[in-house]
Amino acid sequence: MKNSRKRIFVILIAAVLCCAAYFVWDYFDGKAEKLTYKEFWQSVERNEISSVKFDGEKIYFEKTGDSVENTFVTDNPHSPVLAEELMKKGISVTTVKDGTEILSLIFDVIFYLFFFSVIFIAFRKFISPNTFRVVHKTGVKFDDVVGMDKLKRDMVQVMEIMKKPAEYAKKGIRMPKGILLEGEPGNGKTVFAKALAGEARVNFIPAKATDFESMFMAIGPLKVKLLFKKARRRAPCIVFIDEFDGIGTVRNYSGSAIETENTRIVTALLNELDGFEASNGVLVIAATNSIKALDPALIRPGRFDAKLTVPYPDEEARRKLVEMYTRGKSPAAECSPEALARLFNGYSCAKIESILNSAALRAGQEGRTEFTLADVKAAASEC
């Protein structure tokens, strides 16, 4: 710490000495004999001047006839034709920019550097290659997904084709280009996509509708191209687009800026889905709450070959969810997995987890170690 302070102090002293040396040198070097402008012009007419330097309010000049080279100075009238007249007489003319011009130039340079830096940073932010990160290991397997047994069975062969696309292509079998998952929020569509990537041991690129939104027009379609370009480079790969109905809605040609941008994004998606072969090893999984809201051209066979519904968990799945979400908590004896499974009929996975967490919090606030069925019902009424 002391060494750093000493170093900074030495640098400051050196800077002050340099500035002082510059001004002292400028003061003694700038000593010149003062002449009137009339005397200066008389010397010009007699061809006695070899060089002239315009420096702000002063004109410095040297005479040719002096045995010892002396510098003279006179006032600058700021005549627009003076420099031209001097050059016509063969006199060397130079102009020194004053401090105001130099400062103005410096500020101009700083402004343009700042302006273009902001543009560059904004551009990088909106279409940065890091917008869509590649997850090499999701850490989620099918064992971590409760229920959805039919979906898991349907995906087993898809995983095999994804791992060995060339081998299946010889048999005339191609991997689906896209899978559409429909279901209510909180039923585990995202977790299922991560589990599929984890089981297949392939790269996983998560995205959501808001990733394609931008305050600038045409940025959304560029992000679509960026996403699929990255997916092709990282194949075999699963691209998961959550909230798909946020960007894949039916195209509307009303002419508004928002609708125009949405149309461009949908068109970009259509082009990208048609632009790669299933043998490339890229599988697109899109999650939506409503297939009816999506553009028909986007979800037709050949683009999304499979449309699967992620249902609410059945009673057996709810029982397993209760067992999973009560780990580390202390439910009362009346809160058995079977009893809670019946109580949670029609609830999503996320809602079940939230209710059990709220029930445990309610018990803790009242100083109880165990939460009761009454706590669960009270928490369910608030969700």
Side-chain angles (χ1 to χ4, degrees):
M1 188 70 176
K2 291 182 178 179
N3 291 335
S4 299
R5 289 179 178 175
K6 285 182 180 179
R7 194 177 296 111
I8 293 171
F9 182 73
V10 170
I11 292 172
L12 289 174
I13 293 296
V16 171
L17 290 176
C18 289
C19 290
Y22 171 78
F23 286 113
V24 170
W25 173 266
D26 186 61
Y27 175 78
F28 287 106
D29 188 55
K31 284 292 184 181
E33 184 180 344
K34 180 73 180 288
L35 297 179
T36 63
Y37 186 76
K38 181 178 180 181
E39 291 173 318
F40 162 72
W41 189 250
Q42 288 172 347
S43 297
V44 171
E45 292 180 331
R46 292 195 295 266
N47 295 322
E48 294 176 352
I49 296 178
S50 60
S51 63
V52 172
K53 179 174 69 174
F54 292 90
D55 190 354
E57 300 298 322
K58 300 294 182 182
I59 297 177
Y60 295 91
F61 59 95
E62 295 177 355
K63 292 186 176 182
T64 56
D66 295 344
S67 56
V68 178
E69 192 176 275
N70 291 320
T71 301
F72 301 88
V73 65
T74 189
D75 295 323
N76 186 357
H78 295 287
S79 170
V81 296
L82 179 57
E84 182 182 358
E85 292 297 325
L86 295 174
M87 287 188 285
K88 285 180 179 179
K89 294 179 178 292
I91 299 172
S92 174
V93 177
T94 57
T95 302
V96 178
K97 291 186 177 181
D98 60 15
T100 304
E101 291 183 21
I102 293 173
L103 283 175
S104 177
L105 179 63
I106 291 173
F107 282 120
D108 284 345
V109 171
I110 291 173
F111 170 77
Y112 284 115
L113 284 174
F114 175 77
F115 177 76
F116 286 111
S117 296
V118 169
I119 296 296
F120 178 76
I121 291 171
F123 185 79
R124 291 281 295 177
K125 178 178 176 60
F126 286 115
I127 59 169
S128 169
N130 297 322
T131 301
F132 305 105
R133 60 188 182 88
V134 180
V135 180
H136 300 291
K137 293 181 179 179
T138 63
V140 183
K141 296 295 182 68
F142 279 156
D143 290 341
D144 301 316
V145 180
V146 176
M148 304 188 197
D149 295 328
K150 182 178 184 303
L151 286 178
K152 294 176 185 176
R153 289 195 299 270
D154 292 340
M155 290 299 104
V156 170
Q157 190 173 24
V158 173
M159 290 188 298
E160 291 299 319
I161 300 173
M162 182 176 287
K163 291 178 183 177
K164 305 171 184 176
E167 184 178 319
Y168 279 86
K170 294 177 181 177
K171 302 176 183 178
I173 302 172
R174 68 170 179 84
M175 184 184 72
K177 287 185 179 181
I179 296 173
L180 198 59
L181 298 179
E182 183 186 28
E184 294 299 318
N187 272 346
K189 297 185 291 293
T190 302
V191 176
F192 179 77
K194 288 182 178 179
L196 179 59
E199 289 285 345
R201 298 180 182 177
V202 297
N203 292 319
F204 181 74
I205 303 180
K208 53 187 179 298
T210 52
D211 291 334
F212 301 94
E213 295 176 356
S214 172
M215 61 187 293
F216 299 110
M217 293 290 287
I219 295 296
L222 281 177
K223 287 187 173 183
V224 172
K225 294 178 181 177
L226 179 69
L227 171 62
F228 282 90
K229 183 179 179 181
K230 178 174 282 190
R232 290 187 186 96
R233 289 202 309 265
R234 302 288 184 171
C237 174
I238 290 177
V239 174
F240 176 69
I241 305 176
D242 201 6
E243 304 163 3
F244 194 53
D245 43 298
I247 57 171
T249 52
V250 178
R251 285 170 286 181
N252 188 336
Y253 299 95
S254 63
S256 67
I258 295 176
E259 294 297 341
T260 300
E261 181 71 355
N262 179 73
T263 299
R264 289 175 177 171
I265 291 175
V266 173
T267 303
L269 283 168
L270 293 174
N271 293 335
E272 291 300 326
L273 289 170
D274 287 339
F276 70 85
E277 297 297 329
S279 59
N280 289 346
V282 177
L283 175 65
V284 181
I285 299 179
T288 179
N289 300 328
S290 175
I291 289 181
K292 294 179 180 178
L294 299 174
D295 192 289
L298 193 59
I299 59 174
R300 68 162 176 79
R303 291 182 177 132
F304 285 92
D305 297 298
K307 300 175 182 65
L308 307 175
T309 300
V310 181
Y312 284 111
D314 57 21
E315 186 171 348
E316 178 62 22
R318 293 195 301 272
R319 186 185 64 77
K320 292 179 180 178
L321 286 170
V322 169
E323 290 176 351
M324 178 190 300
Y325 295 142
T326 52
R327 290 172 190 164
K329 299 180 178 66
S330 300
E334 59 183 347
C335 296
S336 65
E338 291 75 18
L340 292 179
R342 289 191 295 271
L343 179 65
F344 293 149
N345 184 29
Y347 288 9
S348 68
C349 305
K351 188 172 182 179
I352 292 172
E353 190 277 334
S354 179
I355 290 172
L356 292 174
N357 189 63
S358 297
L361 285 173
R362 182 183 292 271
Q365 289 170 355
E366 296 178 2
R368 291 180 283 112
T369 57
E370 296 181 345
F371 64 85
T372 64
L373 198 58
D375 294 323
V376 175
K377 291 180 178 179
S381 65
E382 294 175 357
C383 288

